[in-house]
Amino acid sequence: MKPMNIGERIRTYREALKMSQEELGKRVGLSKNSIYLYEKGERTPQSDNLLKIAAALQITPDVLFGTPPGNVS
């Protein structure tokens, strides 16, 4: 099984919160299209947007990178 990328994690956590791409975009000041491109892996969020997305999804940025809590090197 292939590990999830950042976009797939964004989608997974967004859907778990029953949030639309449009709603997430509004919460973080981005367009629905930007969220779509992140989730498809066609674009990678800049660090400031990554922080906003993580906060809106009620997770830490480390979760988006796939780093389990407490596993910081």
Side-chain angles (χ1 to χ4, degrees), residues 2 10-11 29 31 50 57-58 64:
K2 175 182 111 167
I10 291 171
R11 185 186 71 241
S31 69
L50 197 62
L57 297 176
Q58 303 168 16
L64 290 179

Side-chain angles (χ1 to χ4, degrees), residues 6-37:
I6 291 173
E8 291 166 328
R9 287 188 191 94
I10 291 171
R11 185 186 71 241
T12 297
Y13 285 96
R14 177 184 58 75
E15 289 176 348
L17 293 172
K18 297 183 178 9
M19 188 184 304
S20 68
Q21 290 176 335
E22 184 174 7
E23 183 178 348
L24 177 57
K26 284 181 183 178
R27 288 183 183 209
V28 298
L30 296 168
S31 69
K32 174 185 172 182
N33 190 56
S34 290
I35 301 301
Y36 170 81
L37 292 173

Side-chain angles (χ1 to χ4, degrees), residues 62 67-73:
D62 288 341
T67 307
N71 275 3
V72 179
S73 303

